[in-house]
C-alpha cells in the first residue's frame, strides 16, 4: 500500500510564487513520504511564471485564470470552480496556501468545502483594519478561520493568532519563507552588471520604488508620484528606478505622471533574481510591498513604507523600516532626512533578519511530517 501523503501547494501571484517555491523544493526532498503537487492558479500570469522558472518548478496544474484588469469578483468566481475540479481530481491529503491574496483565501475555502485540511504559510499578519490593506486583511483572517495548521513567521504573528482563539497546538512559528527564497537567489552566481537594467546612471543614488496596493490607487499613488518628482528636482544626484506593477489601475497613474521624465526610469517588473540585485544596488527603497519590507532588512537597505498601516511591525521596531504614509510632504521629508544625513542613513542600514533565518521551509516540512507521524 502507498503510505505517502499528498500535499498540494497552491500558488497564484508573484509573492506567493517567491514564498512557496523554496517550500516546494523542501517538500520534494521527502519524496519517500510526501507526494508534492503544485497548482498554479496563475492569478498572475507572467510574474508568477518567471519566479517558478527561476526555481526550476513546472506546475502540475496550471489553471490560467488571469484576465487583463480582472475584478475581485471575476478572480474569486473563476478560482472557486477551477480549484474544485483540480482538488476533486487530485484528492490531496493537505492543501498549503500562502499569505493573503484571493488565491490564498479561495484556495483555503475550496479545500474546506471538500473537507481537505489546510496549512497556512505566513499566518497571523494583522493590521486589525479591514480596509488596510484591502482586501488582504480579510483574506488572511478568513484563511486563519479555515486553516488547520498555521505557520506564522514571527512571535508577533503567533500572538495575534492565539489572541483570536486559534488552538496553540496547531501554531508553529517558522520564520518567513521569503528569507529562504532570498538566500537561494543571493547564493546564485550572477554577473551583477548584466543584471541591472539599462538606463539608470550607476554614479547616482538610486531610489528604487514599487507600489501596487489597491488602497493606494488614484489620489494616494498620485501624491507618491509627485513626491518622487519633487525628490528628483531637489537632488540632482538622485535617480528613481521604478519597476511598475502591470495592474492597469497602477499604470494609468504612473504613465501620466512619471513616463518620459528625466532621472525617472520606469521599467517592466523584473524577474526575482534581477530585482534582488536591484535592491542591493539601491540607496533607498520606497515601497508599499509586503515582501520588499521583509527582504530589505536582510540586505541592509533602508525602507520607507508608503502605507498608513503595516502588518509587519518587526522591522519598524528595529528601526530599518519607517512607515511614512502617502502624503507628498511626508514622503519628501522622510526621504530627504536620509538623503541629507549620513548618520541618519547609517542608522537604518543595520543588517538583520526579524522575519527569518532562511530555514522556514524545513521547519514547515517537519511540522507537517510530525503531524502525520512520518518524521524520522
Ligand atoms: C495581487 C493581490 C495582492 C498582492 C499582489 C502582488 C489580490 C486581490 N491581490 O494584486 O494581495 O499583494 O497581487 O503583486 O489577490 N497583471 C499582468 N501580468 C501579471 C500579473 C498581473 O498583466 O503577470 C495585471 C492583469 O491585468 C491583472 C492585474 O494585473 O488583471 C491585476 O492582478 P490581480 O492579481 O487581480 O491584482 P494585483 O493588484 O496584482
Ligand atoms: N519583486 C520582483 N520584481 C519586481 C518587484 C518585486 O521580483 O520588479 C519581488 C520582491 O522582491 C518581493 C515580491 O516581488 O519578493 C513582492 O511582491 P509584490 O510587491 O508584488 O507583493 P506583496 O509582497 O506586496 O504582496
Amino acid at each position: 500500500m502507498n503510505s505517502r501523503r499528498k500535499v498540494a501547494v497552491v500558488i497564484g501571484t508573484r509573492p506567493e510564487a517567491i514564498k512557496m517555491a523554496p517550500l516546494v523544493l523542501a517538500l520534494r526532498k521527502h519524496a519517500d513520504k510526501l507526494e508534492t503537487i503544485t497548482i498554479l492558479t496563475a492569478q498572475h500570469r507572467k510574474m508568477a511564471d518567471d519566479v517558478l522558472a527561476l526555481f526550476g518548478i513546472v506546475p502540475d496544474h496550471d489553471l490560467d485564470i488571469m484576465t487583463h484588469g480582472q475584478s475581485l469578483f471575476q478572480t474569486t468566481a473563476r478560482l472557486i470552480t477551477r480549484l474544485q475540479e483540480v482538488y476533486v481530481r487530485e484528492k490531496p491529503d493537505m492543501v498549503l496556501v500562502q499569505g493573503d491574496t484571493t488565491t490564498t483565501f479561495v484556495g483555503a475555502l475550496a479545500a474546506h468545502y471538500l473537507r481537505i485540511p489546510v496549512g497556512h504559510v505566513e499566518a497571523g499578519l494583522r493590521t486589525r483594519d479591514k480596509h488596510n490593506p484591502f482586501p488582504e486583511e480579510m483574506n488572511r483572517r478568513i484563511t486563519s478561520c479555515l486553516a488547520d495548521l498555521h505557520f506564522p513567521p514571527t512571535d508577533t504573528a503567533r500572538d495575534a493568532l492565539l489572541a483570536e482563539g486559534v488552538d496553540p497546538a496547531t501554531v508553529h512559528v517558522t520564520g518567513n519563507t521569503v528569507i529562504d527564497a532570498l538566500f537561494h537567489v543571493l547564493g546564485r552566481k550572477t554577473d551583477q552588471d548584466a543584471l541591472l537594467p539599462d538606463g539608470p546612471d550607476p554614479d547616482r543614488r538610486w531610489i528604487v520604488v514599487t507600489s501596487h496596493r489597491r488602497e493606494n490607487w488614484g489620489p494616494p499613488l498620485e501624491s507618491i508620484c509627485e513626491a518622487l518628482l519633487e525628490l528628483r528636482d531637489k537632488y540632482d544626484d538622485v535617480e528613481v528606478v521604478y519597476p511598475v506593477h502591470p495592474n492597469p489601475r497602477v499604470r494609468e497613474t504612473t504613465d501620466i505622471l512619471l513616463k518620459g521624465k528625466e532621472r525617472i526610469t520606469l521599467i517592466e517588473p523584473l524577474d526575482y533574481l534581477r530585482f534582488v540585485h536591484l535592491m542591493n544596488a539601491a540607496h533607498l527603497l520606497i515601497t508599499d510591498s509586503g515582501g520588499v519590507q521583509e527582504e530589505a532588512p536582510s540586505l541592509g537597505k533602508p525602507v520607507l513604507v508608503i502605507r498608513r498601516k503595516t502588518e509587519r511591525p518587526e522591522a519598524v521596531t528595529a528601526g530599518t523600516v519607517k512607515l511614512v504614509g502617502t502624503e507628498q510632504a511626508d514622503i519628501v521629508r522622510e526621504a530627504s532626512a536620509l538623503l541629507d544625513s549620513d548618520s541618519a542613513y547609517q542608522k537604518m542600514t543595520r543588517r538583520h533578519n526579524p522575519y527569518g533565518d532562511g530555514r522556514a521551509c524545513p521547519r514547515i516540512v517537519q511540522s507537517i511530517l510530525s503531524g502525520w507521524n512520518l518524521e524520522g
Side-chain angles (χ1 to χ4, degrees):
M1 197 188 93
N2 184 0
S3 62
R4 284 202 311 167
R5 302 292 185 116
K6 189 187 277 193
V7 178
V9 179
V10 179
I11 296 170
T13 64
R14 169 173 66 191
E16 290 162 83
I18 292 169
K19 291 171 171 179
M20 285 302 223
L23 182 57
V24 170
L25 302 184
L27 286 161
R28 284 191 184 156
K29 286 188 180 153
H30 300 268
D32 53 332
K33 296 167 185 157
L34 300 175
E35 179 187 355
T36 303
I37 60 162
T38 50
I39 302 172
L40 177 64
T41 68
Q43 177 179 330
H44 283 174
R45 183 66 280 171
K46 181 172 188 315
M47 295 204 297
D49 290 346
D50 286 352
V51 177
L52 295 185
L54 182 68
F55 283 83
I57 295 168
V58 179
D60 297 286
H61 297 273
D62 184 338
L63 309 186
D64 197 25
I65 67 117
M66 193 192 92
T67 55
H68 185 66
Q70 62 207 0
S71 70
L72 297 174
F73 297 94
Q74 290 167 324
T75 312
T76 303
R78 286 161 73 85
L79 280 168
I80 194 90
T81 48
R82 300 301 311 279
L83 282 167
Q84 177 195 11
E85 286 160 19
V86 68
Y87 289 172
V88 165
R89 200 172 336 140
E90 287 286 359
K91 297 185 178 50
D93 297 297
M94 178 177 289
V95 163
L96 292 177
V97 295
Q98 194 284 334
D100 53 20
T101 71
T102 304
T103 290
T104 312
F105 115 77
V106 180
L109 183 66
H112 175 67
Y113 284 170
L114 293 164
R115 298 176 192 269
I116 302 167
V118 174
H120 185 201
V121 177
E122 195 187 81
L125 276 61
R126 297 288 186 269
T127 60
R128 298 194 174 79
D129 175 344
K130 72 195 273 193
H131 299 293
N132 267 296
F134 175 84
E136 291 82 4
E137 175 72 6
M138 290 313 292
N139 284 348
R140 58 197 175 210
R141 284 200 227 170
I142 297 166
T143 305
S144 292
C145 293
L146 296 166
D148 301 275
L149 272 179
H150 310 259
F151 301 112
T154 64
D155 291 347
T156 309
R158 176 201 57 205
D159 293 346
L161 292 168
L162 299 185
E164 290 170 13
V166 174
D167 177 358
T170 64
V171 179
H172 307 276
V173 179
T174 59
N176 199 306
T177 60
V178 78
I179 306 299
D180 301 39
L182 183 70
F183 287 177
H184 180 95
V185 165
L186 284 173
R188 283 166 85 132
K189 287 220 178 315
T190 47
D191 174 356
Q192 177 123 353
D193 293 337
L195 285 164
L196 297 177
D198 295 333
D201 181 340
D203 295 331
R204 295 198 178 117
R205 291 187 288 179
W206 291 4
I207 300 179
V208 169
V209 181
T210 76
S211 179
H212 69 82
R213 305 235 81 89
R214 272 175 163 70
E215 63 276 15
N216 281 349
W217 290 353
L221 185 54
E222 285 161 23
S223 97
I224 292 163
C225 292
E226 295 294 353
L228 298 175
L229 289 166
E230 192 178 333
L231 287 166
R232 186 268 322 246
D233 291 341
K234 193 171 169 191
Y235 298 94
D236 58 13
D237 68 333
V238 157
E239 176 130 8
V240 172
V241 187
Y242 184 167
V244 186
H245 193 287
N247 195 313
R249 294 298 307 278
V250 172
R251 292 197 171 188
E252 68 191 20
T253 301
T254 56
D255 279 0
I256 291 170
L257 292 176
L258 300 179
K259 206 170 190 169
K261 298 279 161 57
E262 200 190 331
R263 284 187 287 120
I264 307 262
T265 302
L266 299 187
I267 53 177
E268 287 299 312
L270 294 175
D271 66 60
Y272 187 50
L273 182 64
R274 293 172 74 202
F275 186 72
V276 167
H277 284 270
L278 180 65
M279 284 196 286
N280 244 336
H283 185 72
L284 169 65
L285 296 152
I286 298 183
T287 189
D288 64 15
S289 162
V292 174
Q293 287 177 65
E294 292 156 345
E295 293 159 341
S298 295
L299 304 172
K301 297 293 174 180
V303 182
L304 299 182
V305 175
I306 40 179
R307 291 174 54 180
R308 289 176 34 232
K309 296 189 174 166
T310 180
E311 59 291 272
R312 295 169 170 88
E314 295 86 351
V316 177
T317 306
T320 55
V321 166
K322 192 158 188 183
L323 201 59
V324 300
T326 57
E327 295 293 330
Q328 179 177 344
D330 295 334
I331 298 167
V332 171
R333 187 188 63 249
E334 296 297 339
S336 299
L338 296 174
L339 291 164
D340 287 337
S341 158
D342 198 43
S343 69
Y345 181 84
Q346 290 305 332
K347 272 192 200 142
M348 283 188 79
T349 59
R350 194 168 59 83
R351 269 175 214 263
H352 66 128
N353 279 310
Y355 299 110
D357 60 1
R359 305 268 313 146
C361 294
R363 286 190 195 103
I364 292 169
V365 176
Q366 278 315 314
S367 291
I368 293 169
L369 286 172
S370 76
W372 280 326
N373 290 319
L374 289 174
E375 75 267 58

